[in-house]
Amino acid sequence: MSNTIFHWVDNGIFEGTSGATAPVTNPATGQVTGQVALASVEDARAVIDDAAAAFPEWRDTSLAKRTQVLFNFRELLNARKGELAEIITSEHGKVVSDALGEVSRGLEVVEFACGIPHLLKGGFTENASTKVDVYSIRQPLGPVAIISPFNFPAMVPMWFFPIAIATGNTVVLKPSEKDPSASLWLAQLWAEAGLPDGVFNVLQGDKTAVDELLTNPKIKSVSFVGSTPIAQYVYATGTAAGKRVQALGGAKNHAVILPDADLDLAADAMVNAGFGSAGERCMAISAAVAVGPIADDLVAKIAERTTGLKIGDGTKDSDMGPLVTKAHRDKVASYIDAGENDGAKVVVDGRTVQADGGAEGFWLGPTLLDNVTPDMSVYTDEIFGPVLSVLRVETYDQALELINTNPYGNGTAIFTNDGGAARRFQNEVEVGMVGINVPIPVPMAYYSFGGWKASLFGDSHAHGTEGVNFFTRAKAITSRWLDPSHGGINLGFPQNG
C-alpha cells in the first residue's frame, strides 16, 4: 500500500482532516510511490496558527542561540546530503549527481545564514541632537510563507528558509505536490538540529493551501518560484492582502555565441545548460543565438555531443533522467512537433529516445532544433524541457535586440574571447543574471538570485543581502534619557539642535 506524505507541525507529522490526496510518482518507472495530503482551508489555518504561536519566542531567542541551531543544521545537512539527493531523484527524476549539486547549492545559503549576526547589525549615532541618540535595528516580520516549485525541491526552499529562520521568523513551506518528500526530510533535520516546535512547518497541498497562505492575515510575507502566470497571481493576491511578496517567474534564457568564441567550449556549455536536469531549470539555456558564420559548426558540435548522452534512470549511470510527469513530457513533445511544423529543422530528435529505465517512464531525450525564428512557439514559450533552439543572426546588435525584446529577463550568457564585447554585453543586456563564458550564472549565496521583466514580480531577489532585507523590517529609534533641562511645554514640531 502506498505511503501518505503528510504535513509537519510542532516538529511532528500532522495528518490534517481533509482526507484528500494526490499521487506521487517515480518518473523513471511511471509507478505511483505515494500519496501526498492535500490540505483543506482548516488544515492550512492550523499550520499557520502554529507558526504564529511559535513566533514570539523565536523572535526573542538570542542571535547566539539562533546561530547555534543554524550551524547544527548545516553540519547535519552536509553529513547526510546524499540521503536527500536520493529522495529528490526518486520523485523528480533528475540524476543523483545533479540532485546532490542542488543540495550543495542550497547548503551555501545555510552557510550564508550562519553569519546572520553580522548582517543584522544596525547603526548608531550618538548625540544626533543635544543629548539625543538615534539608532536603527532590523526585526523579523513574523510567520512567512514559501511556495516552491517541483524542479528544485530542496535548493529553492533553501534560498529562503535559512535566512527567514536566522532573522527570527517562523516558516510555513508549501512544496510542490509532485515531489513533496524532501520537505519532510528537511523538517526532520531541523528538529534534530534543535529548532523549537513551530518554527519550521510544512503544508502540503494545492491551490487551496496556496490561497490561504496568500490571504491569511497571520502570514506576513510570501516567497514564490514558478511560472510567470502563477507568479503574477501570487504577487497580485498577496500584495492585495497587504503582504510582502517576492515572486520569481518564468524564463527564456539566451546564450549568445560570437564568431570569436571557442566553439568547443560553447558547445559543451549548450549541452550542459540545455539538457541538465532534462531542461527543467529556470536557468536552463533554451535559445542559442549564433552570430555570423559560425552557426553550422556550432550546430554540428552540439549535435555530436548530444547524441552521446546516456538517458535513463537517475539512480543508474545516466547523464539525464526523465521528465517529472507524463503530462509534462507530452506537453514538451508537442512543442517539438510544433517547431517542426513551423519550419525548424530537427537535428536531434528526443521523441524517439531509447532510455535505460522503465517502459512506463516519462522519457524524452535531448532535442536540438535549428533555424528557429522568433515567431515560433518553441521560442516564444517557456518549454521547461530538454529542447534547445538555435537562432541565427548576423550581428551582435541583432542578438542583443532579440534578448532585450523578449518578455523574460532571468538569465543569459555570452561566449566570446573579446573582453570589450563581454563588457558591453553585461552593460546593455536587460537581464538580471549574466554569464560571461559561464552558461548558468547562478550567483553565490552572498549575492542575490533573481531576474528582470516578467521573470520577477516584487522588489527583492532571493538570498544575499536582499533576502536579509526582505525577511526583516527596519525600525529607527530616537532616544533621550531624562534630563530636567529639556522639560516644559512646546507644541512646535521637534527641531534638532
Side-chain angles (χ1 to χ4, degrees):
M1 183 175 179
S2 298
N3 67 304
T4 301
I5 302 152
F6 289 113
H7 320 286
W8 182 269
V9 171
D10 274 340
N11 281 343
I13 294 295
F14 170 57
E15 295 189 6
T17 59
S18 77
T21 62
V24 178
T25 57
N26 182 335
T29 64
Q31 301 302 306
V32 174
T33 58
Q35 298 288 330
V36 61
L38 300 179
S40 63
V41 171
E42 292 73 23
D43 294 337
R45 289 176 179 171
V47 177
I48 293 168
D49 287 348
D50 188 70
F55 171 64
E57 182 177 351
W58 184 242
R59 173 198 60 202
D60 294 337
T61 299
S62 71
L63 280 173
K65 290 182 178 178
R66 282 191 228 154
T67 304
Q68 185 178 39
V69 174
L70 263 290
F71 271 106
N72 290 344
F73 182 79
R74 187 267 173 201
E75 292 302 298
L76 289 169
L77 180 59
N78 189 52
R80 295 168 52 188
K81 57 189 175 185
E83 296 177 27
L84 182 54
E86 291 177 359
I87 291 171
I88 293 168
T89 295
S90 70
E91 293 182 349
H92 175 279
K94 65 178 67 175
V95 299
V96 171
S97 61
D98 189 27
L100 192 60
E102 166 186 347
V103 177
S104 297
R105 292 308 301 267
L107 184 61
E108 292 175 6
V109 184
V110 179
E111 293 168 346
F112 172 79
C114 286
I116 207 67
H118 173 71
L119 298 168
L120 288 182
K121 290 189 300 185
F124 190 99
T125 301
E126 184 181 29
N127 220 35
S129 187
T130 303
K131 297 184 180 180
V132 173
D133 303 328
V134 180
Y135 52 98
S136 64
I137 59 177
R138 299 201 69 87
Q139 294 184 313
L141 306 178
V144 301
I146 299 167
I147 304 169
S148 64
F150 77 85
N151 60 322
F152 286 103
M155 184 185 74
V156 167
M158 282 193 278
W159 282 351
F160 305 109
F161 68 65
I163 299 173
I165 289 172
T167 52
N169 302 279
T170 55
V171 169
V172 178
L173 169 62
K174 209 301 285 184
S176 169
E177 313 94 283
K178 297 180 177 68
D179 44 12
S181 294
S183 62
L184 287 188
W185 189 93
L186 289 164
Q188 291 166 344
L189 207 69
W190 274 119
E192 290 182 41
L195 194 68
D197 291 358
V199 177
F200 184 82
N201 307 275
V202 177
L203 176 65
Q204 310 286 3
D206 52 17
K207 188 175 184 294
T208 298
V210 169
D211 284 345
E212 184 61 28
L213 291 173
L214 294 178
T215 57
N216 191 299
K218 293 182 180 179
I219 294 293
K220 302 306 179 184
S221 75
V222 177
S223 302
F224 171 85
V225 178
S227 69
T228 285
I230 305 303
Q232 288 177 304
Y233 173 79
V234 167
Y235 182 75
T237 308
T239 54
K243 306 181 191 307
R244 288 188 179 185
V245 180
Q246 49 183 175
L248 283 67
K252 195 68 182 183
N253 302 321
H254 301 69
V256 175
I257 300 93
L258 294 185
D260 71 310
D262 181 327
L263 291 189
D264 288 315
L265 172 67
D268 287 344
M270 293 306 95
V271 172
N272 295 337
F275 306 130
S277 196
E280 294 173 325
R281 293 172 176 162
C282 66
M283 288 295 283
I285 294 293
S286 56
V289 185
V291 179
I294 62 166
D296 287 343
D297 287 345
L298 178 65
V299 169
K301 288 178 180 292
I302 295 173
E304 178 186 7
R305 289 157 171 78
T306 300
T307 53
L309 296 177
K310 298 178 182 178
I311 315 304
D313 191 320
T315 62
K316 300 180 180 180
D317 182 25
S318 301
D319 297 307
M320 193 188 95
L323 274 71
V324 68
T325 64
K326 183 179 187 301
H328 185 55
R329 182 263 170 219
D330 293 346
K331 180 180 178 181
V332 175
S334 73
Y335 276 106
I336 303 172
D337 298 339
E340 186 174 29
N341 292 337
D342 289 341
K345 178 182 179 182
V346 182
V347 180
V348 179
D349 193 342
R351 294 169 293 188
T352 58
V353 68
Q354 297 297 313
D356 182 13
E360 301 301 317
F362 312 137
W363 304 110
L364 186 70
T367 298
L368 178 63
L369 300 179
D370 192 10
N371 298 119
V372 173
T373 57
D375 58 324
M376 297 179 183
S377 63
V378 73
Y379 172 75
T380 59
D381 296 357
E382 183 185 27
I383 298 174
F384 224 61
V387 180
L388 178 64
S389 299
V390 177
L391 294 91
R392 298 176 179 229
V393 299
E394 293 301 318
T395 66
Y396 164 90
D397 288 331
Q398 290 173 342
L400 182 70
E401 182 182 8
L402 195 65
I403 299 171
N404 286 351
T405 56
N406 192 279
Y408 298 110
N410 203 47
T412 190
I414 187 169
F415 288 83
T416 180
N417 285 311
D418 185 336
R423 192 173 188 279
R424 180 182 170 189
F425 182 76
Q426 73 180 36
N427 177 58
E428 296 177 337
V429 74
E430 296 174 9
V431 173
M433 292 171 284
V434 180
I436 298 173
N437 297 316
V438 175
I440 306 178
V442 176
M444 296 294 289
Y446 39 85
Y447 288 92
S448 295
F449 181 103
W452 290 9
K453 299 186 286 189
S455 295
L456 176 72
F457 299 89
D459 299 322
S460 295
H461 290 176
H463 59 70
T465 54
E466 289 193 48
V468 176
N469 289 339
F470 180 80
F471 287 115
T472 59
R473 51 188 170 184
K475 181 181 287 184
I477 302 158
T478 303
S479 170
R480 179 177 65 209
W481 294 103
L482 294 178
D483 184 340
S485 67
H486 284 85
I489 303 299
N490 184 347
L491 300 188
F493 192 80
Q495 299 182 44
N496 296 324

